[in-house]
Each structure stands twice: as structure tokens, then as C-alpha cells.
């Protein structure tokens, strides 16, 4: 993910966080690492930062759950 800031004369006007859904580790690919991280978060053994959590919430319901795990798995398995 990335944070994009809009400035006008040095004054912050707006800010936007951009993420690729499912690409939790930010390496430009949805793969097994992303799947394992989301699964580990769901099981309580791994924590994500705010941007990673946005990417992990594949279904956009503000909760990292089994649906996110399965959707990410389906993405990288094709």
C-alpha cells in the first residue's frame, strides 16, 4: 500500500491510502505469503499494520475473516 498526499502551497489538502486487495506483503503479487499472513491474523498469531489490514480485508467488511482467507487463496491459485 501507499499513502498519497495532495498539497497546495505546502498545505496538506487531502490524503488517500491506496492498496491492492490481497497483496498483504506489498510485493505486487497475491501469493502464498499473503494467504499465510491473513490466515495467521485470523488465528491470532500475527498482527498487521493499518495498510496491510486494509489489503487483507478482501471482501471490504472491515473484519479479517475466513472469507478473506478463501478469496485470497482463490486469487493466487487461479
Amino acid at each position: 500500500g501507499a499513502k498519497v498526499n495532495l498539497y497546495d502551497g505546502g498545505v496538506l489538502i487531502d490524503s488517500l491510502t491506496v492498496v491492492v486487495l490481497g497483496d498483504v506483503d506489498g510485493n505486487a503479487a497475491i501469493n502464498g505469503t499473503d494467504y499465510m499472513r491473513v490466515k495467521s491474523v485470523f488465528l491470532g498469531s500475527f498482527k498487521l499494520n493499518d495498510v496491510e489490514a486494509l489489503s487483507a480485508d478482501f471482501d471490504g467488511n472491515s473484519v479479517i475473516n475466513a472469507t478473506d482467507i478463501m478469496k485470497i487463496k482463490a486469487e493466487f491459485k487461479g
Side-chain angles (χ1 to χ4, degrees), residues 13-31:
I13 301 298
D14 202 357
S15 180
L16 178 70
T17 301
V18 179
V19 297
V20 175
L21 290 178
D23 182 19
V24 180
D25 63 4
N27 71 346
I30 300 172
N31 55 32

Side-chain angles (χ1 to χ4, degrees), residues 6-57:
L6 175 63
Y7 291 92
D8 182 14
V11 177
L12 179 64
I13 301 298
D14 202 357
S15 180
L16 178 70
T17 301
V18 179
V19 297
V20 175
L21 290 178
D23 182 19
V24 180
D25 63 4
N27 71 346
I30 300 172
N31 55 32
T33 302
D34 302 305
Y35 167 74
M36 292 305 295
R37 284 188 181 181
V38 175
K39 186 175 177 183
S40 295
V41 168
F42 180 71
L43 296 172
S45 61
F46 194 79
K47 280 198 106 48
L48 300 174
N49 67 37
D50 291 343
V51 173
E52 292 168 335
L54 285 172
S55 181
D57 184 19

Side-chain angles (χ1 to χ4, degrees), residues 60-71:
N61 69 351
S62 300
V63 177
I64 297 172
N65 56 27
T67 303
D68 301 309
I69 296 167
M70 298 313 294
K71 287 184 180 242

